[in-house]
Amino acid sequence: MKNKLDSLKDSKRYATFLRWGKMLSVTGFAQVLVQLAGVATGLIITKLLPTQEYAYYTIANTMLGTMTVLADSGIGVGVMSSGGKVWDDRKKLGQVLNTGIFLRRKFARNSLLVSLPILFFLLQKQGATLLTTFLVCISILPAFWAALTDSLLETIPKLHRAYIPLQKNQGMVSLGRLFLTSAAVFLFPFTFVTLISNGIPRIWGNGKLKIISASYIDSAAEVDEGVKKEILTIVKRSLPGNIYYCISGQLTLWLLSFFGSTSDIAGIGAISRFAMLTSIVSMIFGTLFVPQFSKLTDKAKMVKHLILYFAFLLTICCIVIFFTWLLSDFILSILGNNYLGLNFELLLTMTLSCITLIGGACYGLSSAQGWIINPVLLIITNFLSIIIGLFLFRVDNITEALYFQLTTAIIPLFITIMYLIIKVSKYKSFKVE
C-alpha cells in the first residue's frame, strides 16, 4: 500500500492534480472574499439609496458596462491571445500590453461620445433634474477611466500564474470600495456620490497592478505596429458583435425606462445584485482556465480541458439555482421590504446569470485562441431572438423583462457553444500522448 501511495505521489497526474487543486483553492478563496465584498457593497447601496436614486444608479451602472465594452471592442481578447504567444518574453509582452492600452484609450473617446448622450436621455426620461443628470454623467468617468486599463494589466500576472499578488490587489480594491461607499452613501445618499466612491479605489488598484506587471514585462516597450495589426484583426471581427451586444444587452433596461416604472428599474437592479455571486466562478474561470487554454496547441488536450470545464460550470450552475429556490425568502429579506415577493423573479435572474456565465466562459475560451465567431451570424441569430422575445413578452414589468432576457440569451449561448466545439474539432494539430 505504501509503495502504491509513493508511486501515486510521484506520478505526473498527481502533480498536475495537486497544482490545480492549490491554484483553485487559493484563487477560489480569494475570489469568494472579493465577490462577497462586492455583494456587500451592492446590498449597502440598495438599502441606503432611496428608490429613485437607486433607479438612477442602476441606469448609470449599466451604461458604464456599455461604455467599457465599446472602449474594449475585442482589444482585451487580442491582448490575451497575443500575450499567450509571447508570455515568456519581457519585451514582446510589454509591447502587447502597451499596444492594447494605447488602442483602448483611442477607442474610449468614441465610446464616451456615444454613451454619455444615451445616459443623459435615460436619466431625464426617469425624471432626474438637470443637475442630477450632469453630476451622474461626470461621476461615472473615474470608474470608466480605471476600466480602460485594469483588465489589460491583470492579463500579465494571469499569464505568469502570479495569482497571489493579483488576488491581494483585487481584495484591497473590493474592501476599499466597501468601506468608502458605505461611509459616503450613509452620509450622502446620492447616485453621483456612489459612483465616485466606486471609481477611486479602482484607480488606486490600477497603480498597484502596474507595479505587479512591471516584474514580468518591459514597461517602457513601445507600441508595436505588428502587434497593433494583430489585435485590430480581432477587433474588426469582434466590433460588430460588441456593438450589437451593447444594444441588445441594454435593451431590457431601455424598454423598462420607457414603459416601466422607477420601482421596476430599482427592483431588477436590486435582485441582480445576487447574480454577482456567479461572477466568483467567472473570475476564477477567467483567471485560471482561460489563460491556460490560450497556451494549448494540442487538440487532444483541448478536448480534455473542455470536458472538465463544462462539467465544472454545469455543476456550479445546478448548485446556484437549487439554493436560490430554497433560500429565496431569506435572500429577499436581506434586500429590504421594497423587494419582498420577488421570489420567482429572483430565480429567473439567477438562471439568467448561469446562462451568461456559461456563454461568457465559452466566448473567453474561443477568444483566447483567437477564434472569433462571424459577427454577421451572431447578429442575425441574436436579432431573431430579440424579435421572438418582443413577440412573446411585454417588457413593461420585471417578470416580462426577465422572460425577454432569457429568450435573448439562450440562442446566442447555443451558437457560442457550437462554435467553440466546431473550432476545436477542426483544429489541425492532434497528438496522442
Side-chain angles (χ1 to χ4, degrees):
M1 179 65 72
K2 184 179 179 181
N3 292 334
K4 288 183 178 180
L5 288 175
D6 290 338
S7 62
L8 177 63
K9 291 181 179 180
D10 293 334
S11 68
K12 185 178 178 180
R13 288 187 177 182
Y14 178 80
T16 302
F17 176 80
L18 192 64
R19 174 167 55 84
W20 277 98
K22 183 178 180 180
M23 287 191 297
L24 275 172
S25 59
V26 171
T27 306
F29 178 73
Q31 283 303 318
V32 167
L33 295 180
V34 168
Q35 297 303 323
L36 284 179
V39 171
T41 303
L43 292 176
I44 289 171
I45 294 171
T46 304
K47 281 185 169 293
L48 295 182
L49 282 182
T51 303
Q52 186 81 24
E53 289 288 336
Y54 190 72
Y56 301 157
Y57 175 79
T58 300
I59 294 172
N61 204 38
T62 305
M63 191 54 64
L64 174 62
T66 299
M67 294 164 60
T68 304
V69 171
L70 288 177
D72 178 73
S73 297
I75 294 171
V77 171
V79 169
M80 175 64 77
S81 178
S82 299
K85 300 171 186 175
V86 297
W87 67 275
D88 55 349
D89 187 313
R90 287 178 58 88
K91 183 177 180 179
K92 291 182 178 179
L93 190 57
Q95 289 176 336
V96 171
L97 176 64
N98 291 338
T99 302
I101 292 175
F102 169 80
L103 291 173
R104 273 259 183 106
R105 288 174 176 169
K106 188 175 181 180
F107 277 53
R109 302 189 206 109
N110 296 329
S111 175
L112 287 173
L113 289 174
V114 172
S115 302
L116 286 181
I118 297 175
L119 175 59
F120 185 93
F121 174 76
L122 291 177
L123 290 171
Q124 288 287 289
K125 184 69 177 177
Q126 283 299 312
T129 64
L130 282 175
L131 177 61
T132 298
T133 302
F134 175 77
L135 289 174
V136 170
C137 290
I138 294 298
S139 60
I140 206 173
L141 295 180
F144 175 64
W145 179 257
L148 294 179
T149 54
D150 57 8
S151 60
L152 296 183
L153 290 168
E154 287 182 353
T155 302
I156 307 304
K158 285 179 181 178
L159 288 172
H160 284 270
R161 297 181 180 176
Y163 301 125
I164 293 179
L166 178 61
Q167 304 293 349
K168 285 182 178 178
N169 184 70
Q170 291 176 342
M172 292 300 294
V173 171
S174 296
L175 290 175
R177 289 175 58 197
L178 174 61
F179 291 123
L180 184 60
T181 301
S182 300
V185 178
F186 180 78
L187 296 173
F188 308 101
F190 301 105
T191 300
F192 75 93
V193 174
T194 307
L195 292 170
I196 292 174
S197 303
N198 176 50
I200 292 175
R202 293 182 66 178
I203 293 175
W204 175 85
N206 278 10
K208 295 295 183 181
L209 279 174
K210 289 180 182 178
I211 297 173
I212 296 171
S213 299
S215 303
Y216 306 101
I217 64 169
D218 178 4
S219 301
E222 297 182 355
V223 174
D224 184 81
E225 291 300 321
V227 174
K228 185 193 295 186
K229 184 178 180 181
E230 189 175 341
I231 293 176
L232 287 176
T233 299
I234 294 178
V235 169
K236 288 177 182 178
R237 291 183 62 86
S238 302
L239 185 57
N242 284 335
I243 293 174
Y244 177 80
Y245 166 79
C246 290
I247 296 173
S248 62
Q250 314 308 323
L251 187 59
T252 302
L253 179 66
W254 294 350
L255 291 171
L256 274 180
S257 298
F258 275 99
F259 303 114
S261 64
T262 301
S263 60
D264 288 326
I265 298 173
I268 202 168
I271 60 177
S272 295
R273 284 292 166 189
F274 290 100
M276 290 178 61
L277 293 173
T278 58
S279 61
I280 297 174
V281 183
S282 180
M283 290 294 292
I284 293 173
F285 201 90
T287 301
L288 294 181
F289 301 149
V290 172
Q292 183 68 19
F293 195 76
S294 70
K295 300 177 184 178
L296 296 179
T297 58
D298 178 63
K299 181 177 179 180
K301 289 184 178 180
M302 286 183 181
V303 172
K304 179 181 177 181
H305 278 71
L306 282 182
I307 293 172
L308 292 174
Y309 294 164
F310 276 115
F312 171 74
L313 291 171
L314 289 173
T315 301
I316 294 296
C317 289
C318 290
I319 292 173
V320 167
I321 293 172
F322 172 75
F323 279 101
T324 300
W325 170 78
L326 187 66
L327 303 173
S328 60
D329 287 332
F330 172 74
I331 293 171
L332 291 172
S333 68
I334 297 175
L335 292 175
N337 295 332
N338 291 333
Y339 308 105
L340 294 177
L342 297 176
N343 301 66
F344 184 63
E345 289 79 4
L346 177 64
L347 187 62
L348 289 178
T349 298
M350 297 307 294
T351 303
L352 178 64
S353 71
C354 289
I355 292 174
T356 304
L357 168 65
I358 296 174
C362 292
Y363 178 78
L365 291 173
S366 61
S367 300
Q369 286 286 342
W371 303 330
I372 307 298
I373 191 170
N374 189 318
V376 175
L377 173 63
L378 196 59
I379 289 173
I380 290 174
T381 53
N382 283 358
F383 182 75
L384 288 175
S385 68
I386 288 176
I387 296 300
I388 294 171
L390 290 174
F391 178 77
L392 293 175
F393 308 108
R394 303 186 321 272
V395 192
D396 57 357
N397 60 71
I398 298 177
T399 307
E400 295 284 321
L402 289 170
Y403 278 137
F404 173 77
Q405 281 188 297
L406 282 169
T407 303
T408 57
I410 290 173
I411 296 177
L413 172 66
F414 175 77
I415 297 296
T416 305
I417 292 175
M418 291 306 300
Y419 178 77
L420 176 60
I421 293 173
I422 290 171
K423 292 298 290 187
V424 172
S425 66
K426 290 184 177 180
Y427 195 75
K428 293 181 180 179
S429 174
F430 185 86
K431 298 178 183 179
V432 180
E433 296 184 356

